[in-house]
Amino acid sequence: MIFDIIGKFGRIGVFTKQRSKIVDETKRQAYLNALEITQWEARLPHLKTADSFEVEFESPPAMQQPQAVEQVNDDRDAFMPAEPSVPAVVAPAAALNWDSLRYQVKQCHACDLAESRIQTVFGVGNQKADCLIIGEAPGADEDRQGEPFVGKAGQLLNEMLMAIGLKRESVFIANILKCRPPNNRDPRPNEVVACQSFLQQQIQLIQPKVILSVGRISAQNLLGSQEAVGRLRGKVHSYSAQQIPLVVTYHPAYLLRSPLEKRKAWDDLKLARQQLVK
Ligand code: URA
């Protein structure tokens, strides 16, 4: 039996809890087209009965040690020589409420990125979101505007979210780093360590039902892994002691350069969406 999976979602009202945030069917099809998802697919197993869908949970240490980079086939996910190590200063953020956390991020000088940034990029969205998107670090556009994923990659991210029925404002979007690394270089280990308690506290406050980790830097740091995105995607991991389901997918900037991988990203998005209805 061949069904349009998205149409089915619209009919059974899986997202009734947030009906106002649901994207209508015509728009969703447009976003699917943007994702170049044109093929009709077999219907998912009923979303509440996950028995026919194998879900694998792992418990790696979350965001413990930023990992040295290995060769991978993501593009921003490409090999970079190890940076000289700099002792890390950690910005403490445990137990802060949203306002205090935002203030601490704004004031942060725990690493050198404070000197080169225009502004910090705290994160944006619904503080009670079911879905938390975690990217790598602000780029030039984000540094200017103070909001994550506002450039071309951000537009594609919005379309990816819309394709699974989620508006940008219904999720929360954050990055591993709150400040832009100069020339968009990879985050250095001391920078990740300096920044990690901010993100950990955001996760603690949001308590999302699923984390969608986009790109190598995000996935490797959240999972404490050195594996390539191609190996981490396609299954459900468990983030930290909180055991939050975490799905890895390709970074939208990579998808813009490698559109053939959008098909796999679409599979990952469906997997993430399944976690929302459990
Ligand atoms: N890439 C990211 O990983 N995060 C942003 O905020 C923008 C681009």
Side-chain angles (χ1 to χ4, degrees), residues 45-55 274-275 277-278:
H46 189 282
L47 291 164
K48 295 260 178 199
T49 56
D51 47 311
S52 57
F53 196 91
E54 202 158 316
V55 177
Q274 283 187 321
Q275 310 313 306
V277 292
K278 281 189 171 162

Side-chain angles (χ1 to χ4, degrees), residues 135-138 142 148-149 175 251:
E136 174 178 335
E142 291 77 19
F149 284 101
N175 283 309
H251 196 286

Side-chain angles (χ1 to χ4, degrees), residues 55-129:
V55 177
E56 189 177 324
F57 280 90
E58 298 170 357
S59 299
M63 286 182 63
Q64 284 186 336
Q65 292 298 321
Q67 301 295 318
V69 175
E70 65 163 349
Q71 181 117 33
V72 290
N73 58 9
D74 269 57
D75 158 90
R76 201 167 173 183
D77 299 338
F79 177 78
M80 297 287 286
E83 298 276 356
S85 70
V86 178
V89 176
V90 180
L96 296 181
N97 65 22
W98 279 108
D99 287 345
S100 309
L101 186 59
R102 193 179 289 275
Y103 179 79
Q104 290 300 330
V105 168
K106 205 169 177 181
Q107 301 299 316
C108 182
H109 278 77
C111 77
D112 286 347
L113 297 182
E115 312 312 321
S116 54
R117 73 186 177 212
I118 297 173
Q119 60 189 309
T120 56
V121 179
F122 179 74
V124 71
N126 178 2
Q127 295 177 353
K128 295 190 163 68

